[in-house]
Amino acid sequence: MSEPWNALPPAIARDVAERWPSVFPDGVPGWLGRGSGMDETVVADALGRSLFLCQVLERHPAQVAELVRSRPLSEPTTAEYLAARCREHLAGVQDEASLHAALRRFRREIQFRIIWRDVLRWADLNETMTSASDFADTCIQAALDWLYPDTCDQLGTPHGPDPVTGEDVPQSMVVLGMGKLGGRELNVSSDIDLIFAFPSNGETRGGRRAVDNQQFFIRLGQRLIQALDQMTADGFVFRVDMRLRPYGQSGALALSFAALEAYYQDQGRDWERYAMVKARVVAGDCRAGAVLMDSLRPFVYRKYIDFSAFESLRSMKAMIRREVRRKGLETNIKLGRGGIREIEFVVQAFQLIRGGRDRELQQRALLATLSELERLELLPPGVVGELRQAYVFLRNLEHALQGVADKQTQVLPEDALNRARVALIMGFDDWDAFATELERHRQRVAAHFANIIASGEEDERQEPALAEEWQEIWLTEMEDAAAVAWLRSRGYERPEDSYREVRALRDSRTVQTMQTQGRQRLNQCMPVLLDAVTEVPHPSETLSRVLQLVHAVLRRTAYLVLLLENPGARAQLVSLCSDSPWIARQLAETPLLLDELLNAESLYHPPTKEELEDDLRQQMLRIPEDDLEEQMESLRHFKKAHTLRVAASELKGTLPLMKVSDYLTWIAEVVLDHVVELALSSLVNRHGYPRRADGSPCTSDFAIIGYGKLGGIELGYTSDLDLVFIHGADPALTTDGDRPIDNAVFYTRLGQRIVHILSTQTPSGQLYEVDMRLRPSGNSGLLVSTLAAFEKYQRNEAWTWEHQALARARGVAGGRGTLSAFEAIRRDILCQRRDRERLRQEVVAMREKMRASLGTPESRRADVFHIKHDAGGIVDIEFMVQYLVLAWSADYPELTRWSDNIRQLEELGRVGVLPRNDTERLRESFITLRSTIHRRALQNLNSQVDGQAFPEERAYIREMWHKVMLD
């Protein structure tokens, strides 16, 4: 008997045969083929290609029947049809819950139609992208149409100047679609990137009380996101990503036109220009939106030919390349080599460079822009043709991957069944034939990308021939004695030990069981490394450090390829491992850091704090907001990569000590800012924002105070973070979400989540070790204090040592208002008039107690000096400074301006508390001792040095201690 699935590939046929009885227990219904001329063979073909289609037919047959009755599946999905069906679905909506349910039923129906037509290839690429984009536009507009008047009923109607006429009129939201939605190129299973805007500031009218327009549109935006993104029993409509808005997660959810224009004009980054190329008004007030888009055009398209776009796109691609390597995404057809992103980069590079002059390039659709590049003779017809063919192939493949299970993915499957499905959808008889064609397209794209955008650094360089002896040593083709003699002749200071280590690696079980490709890579790489370490002092010691990395990457030999193909990176690896065992260990623990060695210029010139913020924001934009695990991993890599750059710069002398601590502190501050955003976003999604007494949301009333080395801008490579959490909200009130909780509980959970993100051990280790013991009442106190409770504690209960700690405290992350309030409290507490003699006695007593517990025992002081804790060390200077700040701030409030020892010393000299000669010498002694600690950390050494070290500095510090604290 001939079954409808018999013509399908065997793996698919078996799967359809198993599912058929549960999908069609009473046989294939007649309505399924009505108007389409479909027989059971076509139905079996569709079910074989997509598990999603099977599941919807099995679970919701009545809804599919209604879908087919409304329009046969054989007919295209038009914008007019989508609008009409949406109206029918939403006709009975009475409240927000029924709105959510109706939109999700509509989504299930239209997703079925779009995927059915796509996997059977009844729709071409243009129809699939257009239908998916029109569907998103329709859903956003429908949700907004219901939510806007409902929000007006609650809060009043926002009013302000019309952006065209200037008249005072009611205002509506403008929703910008970014990325593929903006370009009308949406995937079948994609999230949507949105930005919310409104014409101008003002207030609402007609409500119980007037509220600020921005507050109105933020609330409307929150409800719109919930309508689309919230997971319910019916699923979701679209995953909504708002991180492309100004300032990302920390920015306001909705901004006025003027605020948007000012941001992009003053602070817009190159990657934001890239994102804005595809921006389109997808819902809301389209007339006002056109005014907004006109105002933003000069930011995107410069009047002059702007070749700087090449460099920024190279940087973005390098960042993606690191992500691909870190996550093992070589089979990702979007981000991997020769993928969709490289085609997009090529096209948008020309748009950013020449779009201001050649207005024909100011288009959103990639294929249309490619045609213009050919017409303007900016790219040869052959190149355009190959990029166009590759784009269509890869985008069709992307839809095939997603249509199988209605999942957002760009990764090639590994199991036989899904490979068979993808090959069938793509029109190939088997996976191998498909894979061959895919590789052909990817090679062409990669070649064109390299020719147009990639830098010369990525080209292979001609290297001098390698002596055959290195190969013979690694492959044990040379007698042991001859091998040792060869190593000695090439400068190895411990040739026997080095040869023993090389043999141990080669004979290790891991190497012996390596697969063929990995073994070949190792055999190519090891002789090159054995030769490379002869270029630095102490080759044997350096080889031992480099071999730590080799051991770490034996299962991930793509890193060996990186070292083979990039002589510059290889040279940097050897040099840094020679200079620092600490760096060698970091590289071995996190081999992805090898990517940082590819560009020597950036390696030895760390970015500014602003550039750090931008770098982290770009990295995080590519990770789903709800993927906390991946966000935590990415944060850890960000910290390690930039810390490596600081360490490399210090070793090479391109960064002085004071700047080293500045950069390490900036890294921590940027990380903390993002961790607050991440933790806050998660809690707000569940519980809403904490409320103030007037009902307005507390969007930025939380702050992190840094103490100790973080507060004093003196972080080292292994420093922990001394933190205190405060907030300015009323703890007796509740949050404004669907599941409200007390504000106090909200902020406690926020603090717990921040500590969790920072201190949890992941595969990449800890982000930072966190010490919360300096909060009011220490470990027995609340994790998060209100500003009022913090002030009360400092005034009435804090010990002298806690006020000493406050002298080194400063706000490092969180809301500006709360940070300013903290600074006012700190200044007020430090400026209290104190009994100087009593203060001196208490500080001296604390210092002696610390020295007794942490300093070198008396019996060993002739041999060992602890740079920090012994007499004449760093802590003596710190305690002197803290004493003087507490003793004299009442007379000289300017002493409270700074939290770091260096500037506090300078200020003490400037106001005359100490002679300037003394403050200068103390400053120089402090820098000398701290520099030593930094350098020793890079050598994996502690703070204990020879007992006779630093005689002049120690004698002078002891003299000043007696003069200031004892006389």
Side-chain angles (χ1 to χ4, degrees):
M1 176 180 174
S2 177
E3 300 290 0
W5 51 81
N6 282 352
L8 295 172
I12 298 177
R14 286 192 297 273
D15 185 72
V16 174
E18 290 175 8
R19 296 181 185 279
W20 194 268
S22 59
V23 177
F24 302 121
D26 303 318
V28 178
W31 51 257
L32 188 55
R34 186 175 297 132
S36 304
M38 287 191 299
D39 58 19
E40 291 189 359
T41 304
V42 175
V43 175
D45 191 11
L47 300 194
R49 294 170 186 235
S50 173
L51 179 62
F52 167 74
L53 297 179
C54 288
Q55 291 170 340
V56 175
L57 271 169
E58 181 177 354
R59 298 170 187 171
H60 307 283
Q63 190 173 353
V64 178
E66 181 59 31
L67 158 68
V68 173
R69 276 192 287 272
S70 70
R71 170 172 281 205
L73 291 169
S74 57
E75 295 184 18
T77 308
T78 64
E80 293 75 20
Y81 167 74
L82 289 168
R85 284 300 290 162
C86 186
R87 284 193 296 272
E88 292 174 23
H89 273 278
L90 269 63
V93 168
Q94 298 295 323
D95 54 27
E96 206 159 351
S98 58
L99 172 69
H100 288 197
L103 285 170
R104 283 149 181 75
R105 286 194 298 271
F106 179 50
R107 190 256 184 198
R108 184 186 303 129
E109 173 183 308
I110 300 306
Q111 199 72 348
F112 183 93
R113 161 179 280 281
I114 291 174
I115 289 178
W116 180 286
R117 289 184 55 77
D118 184 75
V119 297
L120 288 174
R121 289 298 183 254
W122 292 1
D124 62 11
L125 175 62
N126 183 62
E127 183 194 318
T128 299
M129 293 191 302
T130 304
S131 299
S133 303
D134 287 343
F135 169 54
D137 291 1
T138 301
C139 289
I140 298 167
Q141 187 63 59
L144 198 56
D145 286 344
W146 194 92
L147 291 168
Y148 178 78
D150 191 67
T151 308
C152 289
D153 288 344
Q154 296 176 21
L155 302 177
T157 302
H159 281 70
D162 183 281
V164 178
T165 65
E167 296 177 9
D168 186 69
V169 294
Q171 298 209 337
S172 299
M173 178 179 274
V174 173
V175 181
L176 298 185
M178 310 295 284
K180 287 188 168 64
L181 173 60
R184 297 180 61 79
E185 299 164 337
L186 204 61
N187 299 326
V188 296
S189 298
S190 179
D191 57 3
I192 53 176
D193 295 292
L194 304 179
I195 292 177
F196 298 153
F198 58 94
S200 57
N201 293 320
E203 290 187 334
T204 60
R205 300 175 192 170
R208 290 191 301 274
R209 60 181 179 81
V211 299
D212 181 79
N213 281 0
Q214 185 174 46
Q215 187 178 333
F216 174 93
F217 286 109
I218 286 174
R219 182 59 186 147
L220 175 60
Q222 290 169 340
R223 297 180 72 192
L224 178 58
I225 292 169
Q226 289 176 342
L228 299 171
D229 185 275
Q230 193 172 65
M231 181 64 73
T232 72
D234 295 306
F236 65 95
V237 187
F238 284 99
R239 290 170 292 268
V240 178
D241 195 331
M242 299 297 300
R243 290 175 295 174
L244 286 177
R245 71 186 187 269
Y247 304 108
Q249 286 177 307
S250 63
L253 193 63
L255 288 172
S256 68
F257 288 5
L260 277 170
E261 186 176 359
Y263 171 84
Y264 287 117
Q265 193 68 37
D266 299 336
Q267 302 182 51
R269 311 290 197 268
D270 284 334
W271 66 267
E272 288 176 304
R273 286 181 64 204
Y274 169 80
M276 196 58 72
V277 165
K278 289 185 178 292
R280 173 174 66 89
V281 179
V282 297
D285 188 339
C286 293
R287 172 175 163 275
V291 175
L292 173 63
M293 295 308 298
D294 282 342
S295 72
L296 297 181
R297 186 169 286 109
F299 164 68
V300 183
Y301 298 109
R302 306 287 163 80
K303 293 179 181 178
Y304 49 87
I305 296 178
D306 180 19
F307 286 104
S308 66
F310 274 136
E311 187 55 43
S312 62
L313 287 167
R314 283 188 200 116
S315 299
M316 291 173 68
K317 177 58 183 175
M319 188 181 293
I320 292 170
R321 183 188 64 232
R322 291 194 293 271
E323 181 183 7
V324 167
R325 189 175 284 125
R326 178 166 61 88
K327 297 182 184 177
L329 298 179
E330 286 78 9
T331 58
N332 186 303
I333 59 141
K334 176 182 177 182
L335 300 178
R337 177 193 56 82
I340 295 167
R341 183 55 55 84
E342 289 189 357
I343 303 174
E344 293 173 341
F345 275 9
V346 167
V347 172
Q348 287 178 307
F350 283 103
Q351 288 183 287
L352 293 176
I353 291 164
R354 307 190 69 100
R357 298 279 294 273
D358 298 318
R359 295 181 67 88
E360 304 94 326
L361 296 177
Q362 295 184 16
Q363 303 196 45
R364 300 183 182 94
L366 184 140
L367 290 173
T369 309
L370 259 181
S371 297
E372 287 299 328
L373 291 174
E374 181 179 2
R375 190 183 66 77
L376 294 169
E377 298 183 351
L378 294 173
L379 282 178
V383 172
V384 170
E386 289 184 355
L387 289 176
R388 182 184 292 116
Q389 291 169 16
Y391 183 76
V392 171
F393 184 91
L394 291 169
R395 289 302 308 275
N396 278 330
L397 172 57
E398 187 176 31
H399 291 153
L401 295 172
Q402 296 180 355
V404 167
D406 188 21
K407 291 276 194 298
Q408 186 182 15
T409 180
Q410 286 94 12
V411 178
L412 297 172
E414 296 183 358
D415 62 292
L417 177 57
N418 281 319
R419 283 187 166 189
R421 284 171 170 154
V422 170
L424 180 62
I425 295 170
M426 293 299 291
F428 291 87
D429 293 333
D430 55 52
W431 179 261
D432 289 341
F434 156 77
T436 299
E437 181 67 7
L438 170 62
E439 183 59 24
R440 185 175 70 87
H441 283 299
R442 292 182 73 168
Q443 286 182 356
R444 287 178 173 176
V445 172
H448 293 314
F449 176 81
N451 289 337
I452 296 167
I453 288 181
S455 65
E457 293 172 10
E458 297 178 6
D459 298 337
E460 292 189 25
R461 300 169 187 172
Q462 193 67 36
E463 293 186 72
L466 191 69
E468 292 181 359
E469 284 83 354
W470 296 119
Q471 187 82 15
E472 292 170 8
I473 289 175
W474 169 246
L475 295 177
T476 63
E477 295 171 355
M478 187 185 289
E479 292 292 331
D480 291 358
V484 170
W486 173 264
L487 292 173
R488 181 177 288 111
S489 72
R490 289 298 182 269
Y492 278 77
E493 74 276 17
R494 299 194 312 274
E496 294 87 355
D497 293 344
S498 296
Y499 184 58
R500 197 159 36 246
E501 287 185 78
V502 170
R503 286 293 300 262
L505 171 65
R506 179 172 170 76
D507 296 339
S508 68
R509 178 167 178 76
T510 306
V511 170
Q512 295 302 318
T513 57
M514 288 177 77
Q515 295 182 349
T516 302
Q517 184 188 53
R519 188 67 177 268
Q520 288 173 346
R521 289 173 173 176
L522 183 63
N523 289 344
Q524 288 177 292
C525 193
M526 277 307 301
V528 174
L529 289 175
L530 288 171
D531 177 55
V533 297
T534 64
E535 299 296 321
V536 297
H538 313 298
S540 292
E541 186 174 44
T542 303
L543 178 67
S544 295
R545 296 170 182 176
V546 170
L547 289 182
Q548 294 178 53
L549 171 69
V550 174
H551 278 286
V553 301
L554 288 176
R555 299 296 188 196
R556 294 171 287 175
T557 55
Y559 293 110
L560 298 179
V561 176
L562 183 152
L563 292 173
L564 273 169
E565 295 183 350
N566 295 275
R570 189 166 66 242
Q572 299 302 335
L573 167 70
V574 170
S575 174
L576 290 171
C577 286
S578 172
D579 289 342
S580 169
W582 183 84
I583 287 182
R585 190 182 68 210
Q586 295 299 306
L587 291 167
E589 290 176 353
T590 312
L592 182 63
L593 295 176
L594 288 172
D595 274 309
E596 302 301 320
L597 311 185
L598 290 170
N599 186 334
E601 183 177 348
S602 65
L603 176 64
Y604 297 117
H605 295 88
T608 64
K609 185 176 181 183
E610 185 181 62
E611 290 167 338
L612 284 168
E613 292 168 339
D614 198 44
D615 183 21
L616 182 58
R617 187 175 165 204
Q618 287 187 65
Q619 288 188 34
M620 292 303 170
L621 279 171
R622 281 188 293 280
I623 302 172
E625 280 187 278
D626 57 358
D627 191 346
L628 179 61
E629 183 179 343
E630 185 55 37
Q631 295 250 14
M632 288 169 66
E633 283 294 288
S634 191
L635 281 167
R636 281 152 177 75
H637 174 71
F638 170 86
K639 181 219 174 181
K640 287 186 175 185
H642 286 291
T643 301
L644 173 68
R645 291 168 72 173
V646 173
S649 301
E650 182 176 7
L651 286 168
K652 295 303 178 186
T654 59
L655 210 58
L657 167 73
M658 298 305 297
K659 289 296 183 183
V660 169
S661 288
D662 284 354
Y663 276 99
L664 293 174
T665 303
W666 291 344
I667 293 168
E669 290 173 355
V670 169
V671 166
L672 285 171
D673 260 329
H674 188 82
V675 169
V676 172
E677 291 174 18
L678 192 60
L680 186 63
S681 173
S682 170
L683 283 170
V684 167
N685 287 341
R686 281 200 211 109
H687 305 295
Y689 285 102
R691 271 188 291 218
R692 298 190 181 94
D694 64 0
S696 63
C698 303
T699 56
S700 59
D701 285 14
F702 178 85
I704 296 180
I705 310 306
Y707 277 70
K709 286 188 173 66
L710 176 61
I713 319 176
E714 295 166 3
L715 280 186
Y717 295 105
T718 57
S719 298
D720 59 4
L721 301 184
D722 293 297
L723 305 179
V724 169
F725 300 151
I726 57 175
H727 72 88
D730 186 337
L733 298 177
T734 62
T735 61
D736 63 2
D738 295 332
R739 290 182 287 172
I741 56 176
D742 290 346
N743 286 353
V745 174
F746 179 93
Y747 283 114
T748 298
R749 291 183 184 175
L750 178 61
Q752 291 168 338
R753 196 163 185 81
I754 289 169
V755 172
H756 168 77
I757 294 170
L758 290 170
S759 59
T760 296
Q761 286 283 355
T762 74
S764 296
Q766 258 186 341
L767 194 49
Y768 287 99
E769 190 171 331
V770 176
D771 191 335
M772 300 293 299
R773 290 175 296 176
L774 287 173
R775 67 186 187 268
S777 300
N779 285 337
S780 62
L782 294 174
L783 185 64
V784 186
S785 301
T786 64
L787 277 165
F790 179 84
E791 181 176 12
K792 181 181 177 183
Y793 178 85
Q794 292 293 337
R795 289 190 185 281
N796 303 322
E797 300 176 51
W799 296 82
T800 296
W801 66 264
E802 289 178 290
H803 285 173
Q804 286 181 247
L806 191 63
R808 298 190 68 193
R810 63 189 178 89
V812 293
R816 292 179 183 175
T818 308
L819 291 172
S820 297
F822 163 77
E823 289 299 336
I825 293 170
R826 173 182 176 271
R827 178 185 174 92
D828 203 27
I829 297 297
L830 295 182
C831 287
Q832 287 178 342
R833 194 163 295 281
R834 293 170 170 85
D835 181 329
R836 290 176 188 155
E837 184 55 36
R838 181 181 171 192
L839 174 66
R840 189 196 328 243
Q841 291 172 4
E842 290 176 349
V843 172
V844 169
M846 177 57 68
R847 177 69 189 105
E848 289 175 350
K849 185 177 179 182
M850 280 184 64
R851 191 179 296 143
S853 61
L854 300 173
T856 304
E858 189 172 352
S859 60
R860 297 183 59 220
R861 286 177 191 167
D863 302 317
V864 176
F865 171 61
H866 197 299
I867 300 173
K868 284 181 63 178
H869 294 298
D870 283 348
I874 285 177
V875 178
D876 278 356
I877 299 177
E878 292 175 344
F879 271 52
M880 275 190 281
V881 171
Q882 290 160 17
Y883 161 71
L884 292 169
V885 167
L886 291 175
W888 292 95
S889 289
D891 296 325
Y892 304 106
E894 55 266 47
L895 293 176
T896 66
R897 181 179 178 189
W898 308 111
S899 60
D900 60 289
N901 283 294
I902 295 295
R903 285 182 292 192
Q904 286 175 339
L905 274 169
E906 291 171 351
E907 201 67 29
L908 286 166
R910 191 186 67 79
V911 301
V913 171
L914 282 182
R916 286 204 174 190
N917 287 342
D918 286 334
T919 58
E920 279 299 311
R921 284 196 66 182
L922 284 172
R923 179 181 179 277
E924 293 306 315
S925 299
F926 185 80
I927 291 173
T928 298
L929 297 178
R930 269 191 56 212
S931 298
T932 304
I933 290 177
H934 272 279
R935 286 194 301 271
R936 289 179 64 82
L938 293 177
Q939 301 304 319
N940 283 342
L941 298 173
N942 60 26
S943 298
Q944 294 174 313
V945 295
D946 182 80
Q948 307 308 312
F950 309 110
E952 293 180 9
E953 288 84 359
R954 291 161 62 184
Y956 180 70
I957 294 168
R958 283 198 298 267
E959 176 188 331
M960 287 300 298
W961 178 264
H962 277 273
K963 178 179 174 182
V964 174
M965 306 302 297
L966 301 179
D967 291 347

